[in-house]
Amino acid sequence: MYTVCVRDHFMIAHSFNGEVFGPAQRLHGATYVVDLEFRRPELDADGLVVDIGLATTMLAEVLGDLNYRNLDEEDPLRGRNTTTEFLAREVFDRVAQRIAAGQLGESARGITALRVTLHESHVAWGSYEGALPSSASA
Amino acid sequence: MYTVCVRDHFMIAHSFNGEVFGPAQRLHGATYVVDLEFRRPELDADGLVVDIGLATTMLAEVLGDLNYRNLDEEDPLRGRNTTTEFLAREVFDRVAQRIAAGQLGESARGITALRVTLHESHVAWGSYEGALPSSASA
Amino acid sequence: MYTVCVRDHFMIAHSFNGEVFGPAQRLHGATYVVDLEFRRPELDADGLVVDIGLATTMLAEVLGDLNYRNLDEEDPLRGRNTTTEFLAREVFDRVAQRIAAGQLGESARGITALRVTLHESHVAWGSYEGALPSSASA
Amino acid sequence: MYTVCVRDHFMIAHSFNGEVFGPAQRLHGATYVVDLEFRRPELDADGLVVDIGLATTMLAEVLGDLNYRNLDEEDPLRGRNTTTEFLAREVFDRVAQRIAAGQLGESARGITALRVTLHESHVAWGSYEGALPSSASA
Amino acid sequence: MYTVCVRDHFMIAHSFNGEVFGPAQRLHGATYVVDLEFRRPELDADGLVVDIGLATTMLAEVLGDLNYRNLDEEDPLRGRNTTTEFLAREVFDRVAQRIAAGQLGESARGITALRVTLHESHVAWGSYEGALPSSASA
Amino acid sequence: MYTVCVRDHFMIAHSFNGEVFGPAQRLHGATYVVDLEFRRPELDADGLVVDIGLATTMLAEVLGDLNYRNLDEEDPLRGRNTTTEFLAREVFDRVAQRIAAGQLGESARGITALRVTLHESHVAWGSYEGALPSSASA
């Protein structure tokens, strides 16, 4: 299995609901350094997992929709606990939609799985990984 | 699959038995920077893989039992080659026991697997990963 | 010159005032991974720059006063642009006050300078360094 | 599952063929920081995944055959797009051959899988992982 | 003293002249991860060392003139040993020229020194630091 | 000012004397990842701060004299508190002696200062920096 990963980041404010969160129930914020991994069993005709230029642009766009925002006020996140692991899944879904819509080109249909990791500090990170919904037909 | 990881470290002395270890047969030591990963297929009701506060405290306790010690003199490690990969398994087992005992709370019973990675330098690490013994009933 | 550094982090919300900040004028947030460096020309009688236990506790307290907060609402930061470099100076001043007050013990009066670095992402950091106000008499 | 990883690096020149590569069609180069992971379900009699001394030497030899070279002029890479992910597979195959030939000793026949990751910058990496061809008979 | 640092990278081919370079006399290449530090004794009116947006764009432009190239064929580097430390100075000079030309705005005239660090691998880096030629009049 | 840095590591056992050390009074150990920086105002005729091959070999030799040892039993460290900052100075002195003895070649006499940093974990490091004793005559 081949994997290619690109990294970017975004910076947000949010708060959490529930006693389990302790002081993190207050409005605070985070920098998330994001690793987006693309996986496929065989390389495409150019010897690539994915066009890194397109992948980098796509990740910047996905994170741009979240960057410099208070997630407590942003649809469709309003009312959710936007934990690191929850946001990893959110980024996963948005990337998967764009791949399905063809933003990474035809060859990207060979991508069978993604993993999204959000590093929230030097001592904690969360991730979500899964097969691509559309990969069965790829 | 969701994953959440917390990081801590411990510092120990030990020696190894067997010609394969060369100069590491002498009494020496290591800092191990430890990444403890928790995995589960679905988030709990709070949007969490695990209560990070509880997880961090638990990891500190597990490593506290090893920290600042000569492992050659510590039961039950006495007489074992406490290699990086062996210690990764040891930390895995101790964490798994505490989860089974409920230290991370009820919601943590949804955790299905763990990975423990010990970084021994900037150029080498070892890890152990496995399903949780109790996860079948979770 | 000897230096010892300890690392911790804090997570805050804030917004900036001024067109130069572009989208960062919106309420957002950041994780700051903080490196606190202590400098002195000679070690103390124990062979130390600083008691690392005390230094770590002190840094945790200083960052605890900022952690999980919206800096736009916190005195005395309200109304200021709490940029990374500004906050590095703020942490510097709070640490310097505590050293002057003796929180790190008598031997810490041999510390002549500090540097505080705040890493805001994998691609940007800011720092403030300076002599300790009280070091002339040390 | 146990994993042990060792790290080294190599520095090469190359160019790519195909419009998808944009400016990388020009002759340029890269440093690849290489993580070589060895996996096996049980430790050997010494408590090891692999003899790290032998593994480190082997990795240095494999990378030494690529280091300080223009890959456009090296057989058998000539005419191929030596992308990061392609090179990860190339290193994987060369390591697998050496394990099959016994370079890591008899105990290394317990290794069931490898992963090779090439970090090309602070924001991008590629990897190849797979079962060892010879592991079925191990 | 305040410092702000931004990070980017470039990837080049080159070769060295002189027996001291051993196998690095062959055409090879490198990824350089670049840290560009700006220093000044006081913050500007916005609480900044430098406008990070402008600084990031400027660094990308400076590195863009070197990226994806064979430095052996590029004026004015042709015939020089483009070692890591030499290139750190080259980037320093190009950045200093752009600051003097006003690319970072009027407030950037308060910047008194720069440091440029090029990381060539996980085990080696080189840097050049100096006062800005124009800082005396700032 | 130019700087070049090379990195290596060593792994030792030791214990500390004095109540300030708390549990670190017990026999334990550490991995020290070592950054050795060489500084000089001008490059040599080859465009170098130092011959990196010679520097790397020298650092490996210096650390080899400490590696895989119990420092409590090693002359001349016996009876000293071998703290991170103390060991940084020890490595500094041993490197300085070797440079003065010519191990890095004639051109290395242009080196005017060194810095040695020992990283003991992901959250703490110590360093010693100073002018080279022999640099006045260089």
Side-chain angles (χ1 to χ4, degrees), chain C residues 109-112 132-138:
Chain C
R109 297 199 186 278
I111 298 168
T112 54
L132 280 189
S134 60
S135 66
S137 64

Side-chain angles (χ1 to χ4, degrees), chain C residues 71-84:
Chain C
L71 301 186
D72 293 354
E73 307 290 337
E74 291 291 315
D75 289 319
L77 304 172
R78 194 191 309 265
R80 307 298 302 267
N81 278 328
T82 53
T83 62
T84 306

Side-chain angles (χ1 to χ4, degrees), chain C residues 17-18 20-21 81 83-86 88-89 115 120 122-130, chain E residues 1-8 35 37 39 41-43 45-52:
Chain C
N17 248 307
V20 66
F21 294 102
N81 278 328
T83 62
T84 306
E85 48 269 53
F86 174 92
R89 172 65 179 271
R115 182 175 192 176
E120 71 173 63
H122 65 305
V123 291
W125 54 260
S127 73
Y128 181 75
E129 60 192 300
Chain E
M1 179 65 66
Y2 293 91
T3 308
V4 159
C5 180
V6 293
R7 174 171 281 196
D8 202 340
D35 286 325
E37 300 173 42
R39 296 182 181 169
E42 300 298 337
L43 299 182
D46 291 308
L48 292 169
V49 164
V50 67
D51 179 335
I52 282 203

Side-chain angles (χ1 to χ4, degrees), chain D:
Chain D
M1 179 65 65
Y2 292 91
T3 307
V4 159
C5 179
V6 293
R7 174 172 282 198
D8 202 341
H9 74 288
F10 66 107
M11 304 173 88
I12 54 87
H14 60 173
S15 62
F16 297 133
N17 247 308
E19 280 185 31
V20 65
F21 294 102
Q25 294 176 87
R26 300 195 297 250
L27 183 64
H28 63 288
T31 306
Y32 293 110
V33 175
V34 182
D35 286 325
L36 170 56
E37 299 173 43
F38 301 90
R39 296 184 180 168
R40 60 192 294 169
E42 300 298 337
L43 299 182
D44 73 10
D46 291 307
L48 292 171
V49 164
V50 69
D51 179 335
I52 281 203
L54 291 180
T56 300
T57 300
M58 185 195 68
L59 180 57
E61 288 175 8
V62 167
L63 302 187
D65 291 341
L66 299 165
N67 202 12
Y68 293 127
R69 281 176 174 81
N70 176 1
L71 300 187
D72 293 354
E73 307 291 337
E74 292 291 315
D75 289 318
L77 305 172
R78 192 191 310 265
R80 306 299 301 267
N81 277 329
T82 52
T83 61
T84 306
E85 48 269 52
F86 174 93
L87 287 171
R89 173 64 179 271
E90 185 72 20
V91 172
F92 177 99
D93 287 343
R94 294 182 184 201
V95 168
Q97 273 187 321
R98 286 168 178 259
I99 293 174
Q103 187 175 349
L104 295 185
E106 271 312 298
S107 136
R109 297 197 187 279
I111 298 168
T112 54
L114 300 176
R115 182 174 190 174
V116 176
T117 304
L118 270 60
H119 304 265
E120 71 174 62
S121 75
H122 65 305
V123 291
W125 55 259
S127 74
Y128 181 77
E129 60 192 300
L132 280 189
S134 60
S135 66
S137 65

Side-chain angles (χ1 to χ4, degrees), chain F residues 38 58 95-104 108-109 111 114 132:
Chain F
F38 302 90
M58 186 196 67
V95 167
Q97 274 188 320
R98 286 168 177 258
I99 293 174
Q103 187 175 350
L104 295 185
R109 297 197 187 279
I111 299 168
L114 300 176
L132 280 189

Side-chain angles (χ1 to χ4, degrees), chain C residues 55-72:
Chain C
T56 300
T57 299
M58 185 195 69
L59 180 58
E61 288 174 9
V62 167
L63 302 187
D65 289 341
L66 300 165
N67 202 12
Y68 293 127
R69 280 176 175 79
N70 175 2
L71 301 186
D72 293 354

